Amino acid sequence: MSLRDKISRGERIDFDEALSLYEMDFFELGDLADSIRKKKHGKKTYYNINRHINPTNVCADVCKFCAYSATRKNPNQYTMTHEQIMEIVKDIDSRGASEVHIVSAHNPNTGVEWYLEIFKKIKTAYPHLHVKALTAAEVDFLSRHYGKTYDEILDLMIENGVDSMPGGGAEIFDEKVRDFICKGKVTSDQWFEIHRKWHERGKKSNVTMLFGHIESRANRIDHMMRIRELQDITGGFNCFIPLVYQTENNYLNIKEPITANEILKTMAISRIVLDNVPNLKAYWVTSTVNLALVAQEFGANDLDGTIEKESINSAAGAKSANGVKLEDFKALIKNSGFIPTQRDSLYNEI
Ligand code: V47
């Protein structure tokens, strides 16, 4: 049986088969991913009304790809007060947002309470808002820095109102590449341990992959395989988010950005390999809106949201600092032949 037939019949593929998909005809690969997307989601493309808040850029870790952290290339340190954060939340709540997505740098000066109290304050004042917060990298940092176990941090997150975990900090799980791009931060095994523990508490999370830098195609497939393995056990990942590496203001010094062709192939392959992860997000912030719209035909069924403000990727060159207008976003999805479908943070349709 050909690989194409095997995939069309819904059979699981192995590492070598997945890697060989990069050699398949571009449009044939797109068609395969699209047929899986259609079976699962039809023509619906999900979006949500959300706001990213990045409360501090002071960071104890030094990731080579990061342009956001204040300790290296960016001398403009900031740490928001809780009052400033609550002002932002008040504003977005009044405009219909359903989610706040909070990711910070690893600030060694604030105390663990500073992180946790943000969530408590938001949840107390706006119980209907979904709080998506703390990547596994932050959980690991808080655990190391403040002498608490992962279990303790995860329980404190739940007690203080965190609803789900974002997928950040996954980067690339291959240990050799990981050591080069972000040595010292959460290891791949620890990243999975934290998400496993989170899922065991009945909670959902996302998982990202930072690609388009020094990693090989085989590293990407290995990354997907490791996700598929945990997902078989817990079923706790809602969404896979391939993040396209942004080249500016950081220490990786990649001269040739990844091509659109390679991005779309990687999207399509992830839709095929991750047969147990329901949603594939084309994160327009790192892929550009135009390519995210095309990615809808290469397996992607989620375009994230309006975002409004975003600091991590825009610091590295993404044109996302001010988000997109909701009406424009919906019109773009519709005009590209898909059905804009508003969702909440757990993928229930609104
Ligand atoms: O983990 C840092 C990435 C991530 C760069 O869960 C970079 O719904 C590209 O995780 N080029 C944080 N990426 C953002 C994130 C995320 C975003 C959207 C949705 C969700 C979700 C999660 O940003 C980091 C890191 O991998 N990042 N620097 C860069 N130069």
Side-chain angles (χ1 to χ4, degrees):
M1 188 179 17
S2 73
L3 184 53
R4 199 198 153 96
D5 289 343
K6 187 171 176 181
I7 294 167
S8 301
R9 288 161 60 142
E11 286 182 33
R12 180 163 277 196
I13 61 169
D14 67 19
F15 180 94
D16 291 331
E17 289 169 327
L19 191 56
S20 76
L21 288 176
Y22 275 107
E23 307 306 330
M24 189 180 259
D25 174 78
F26 179 68
F27 293 104
E28 202 180 332
L29 177 63
D31 272 353
L32 272 179
D34 189 46
S35 66
I36 298 172
R37 178 225 209 269
K38 278 203 193 104
K39 267 188 218 140
K40 293 190 190 224
H41 304 286
K43 282 281 190 183
K44 284 179 187 169
T45 292
Y46 290 123
Y47 68 92
N48 73 350
I49 305 182
N50 62 349
R51 161 78 194 237
H52 285 215
I53 304 179
N54 306 119
T56 178
N57 66 351
V58 178
C59 200
D61 280 302
V62 277
C63 299
K64 286 201 178 86
F65 54 78
C66 184
Y68 169 67
S69 151
T71 47
R72 287 164 69 103
K73 285 232 165 168
N74 175 359
N76 304 312
Q77 297 201 357
Y78 73 82
T79 300
M80 292 180 185
T81 62
H82 288 180
E83 289 66 36
Q84 284 171 321
I85 294 167
M86 292 307 286
E87 273 305 305
I88 298 171
V89 178
K90 183 177 167 195
D91 173 55
I92 58 147
D93 180 64
S94 70
R95 289 184 292 108
S98 62
E99 172 188 293
V100 264
H101 177 159
I102 303 174
V103 173
S104 288
H106 307 165
N107 192 325
N109 312 318
T110 57
V112 68
E113 291 74 22
W114 178 84
Y115 279 82
L116 296 168
E117 277 169 17
I118 297 172
F119 315 135
K120 183 157 220 140
K121 284 185 173 148
I122 294 174
K123 210 60 190 179
T124 307
Y126 306 97
H128 52 281
L129 276 185
H130 181 103
V131 178
K132 181 161 81 177
L134 290 185
T135 66
E138 290 171 277
V139 171
D140 173 69
F141 164 73
L142 293 175
S143 152
R144 274 187 284 130
H145 197 70
Y146 296 103
K148 294 191 185 297
T149 63
Y150 290 158
D151 286 307
E152 284 169 330
I153 299 282
L154 295 175
D155 287 338
L156 283 167
M157 284 161 65
I158 293 172
E159 262 170 49
N160 284 274
V162 175
D163 295 297
S164 69
M165 278 178 69
E171 322 312 358
I172 277 283
F173 292 132
D174 175 82
E175 280 73 11
K176 224 165 138 205
V177 175
R178 195 174 184 84
D179 253 18
F180 184 78
I181 66 174
C182 57
K183 194 175 176 63
K185 120 168 159 179
V186 65
T187 66
S188 303
D189 286 346
Q190 289 166 335
W191 193 97
F192 278 109
E193 184 185 351
I194 291 165
H195 280 262
R196 181 177 50 74
K197 284 175 178 292
W198 184 249
H199 297 166
E200 282 167 0
R201 286 164 167 73
K203 298 288 186 184
K204 295 286 187 183
S205 64
N206 291 337
V207 49
T208 57
M209 173 177 78
L210 181 66
F211 74 116
H213 44 88
I214 61 160
E215 90 291 350
S216 64
R217 287 173 167 176
N219 295 147
R220 293 178 208 149
I221 303 295
D222 166 64
H223 192 93
M224 295 172 202
M225 291 287 165
R226 295 194 203 197
I227 295 166
R228 195 170 76 177
E229 202 177 309
L230 180 63
Q231 182 74 343
D232 271 345
I233 300 166
T234 65
F237 291 123
N238 262 339
C239 182
F240 178 60
I241 311 160
L243 298 170
V244 182
Y245 166 71
Q246 308 294 299
T247 56
E248 291 176 20
N249 304 322
N250 65 71
Y251 283 85
L252 265 188
N253 219 2
I254 305 295
K255 298 275 184 269
E256 286 288 315
I258 188 171
T259 62
N261 179 297
E262 189 75 5
I263 293 170
L264 292 173
K265 278 185 175 182
T266 305
M267 288 269 183
I269 293 170
S270 69
R271 169 56 87 192
I272 296 166
V273 171
L274 292 173
D275 52 14
N276 53 2
V277 178
N279 299 291
L280 171 62
K281 187 183 288 187
Y283 187 48
W284 62 265
V285 167
T286 64
S287 67
T288 73
V289 172
N290 286 347
L291 203 63
L293 294 172
V294 179
Q296 294 174 108
E297 299 196 21
F298 285 76
N301 69 298
D302 182 8
L303 256 50
D304 200 277
T306 44
I307 295 175
E308 300 214 354
K309 194 156 172 53
E310 188 282 329
S311 307
I312 298 177
N313 300 114
S314 53
K319 306 288 174 262
S320 53
N322 298 313
V324 278
K325 288 204 179 70
L326 178 60
E327 288 315 313
D328 294 348
F329 201 56
K330 281 161 61 178
L332 285 166
I333 295 172
K334 205 167 166 205
N335 293 339
S336 57
F338 290 84
I339 306 164
T341 307
Q342 194 183 342
R343 63 162 174 85
D344 68 12
S345 305
L346 299 174
Y347 288 85
N348 302 301
E349 287 179 23
I350 295 178

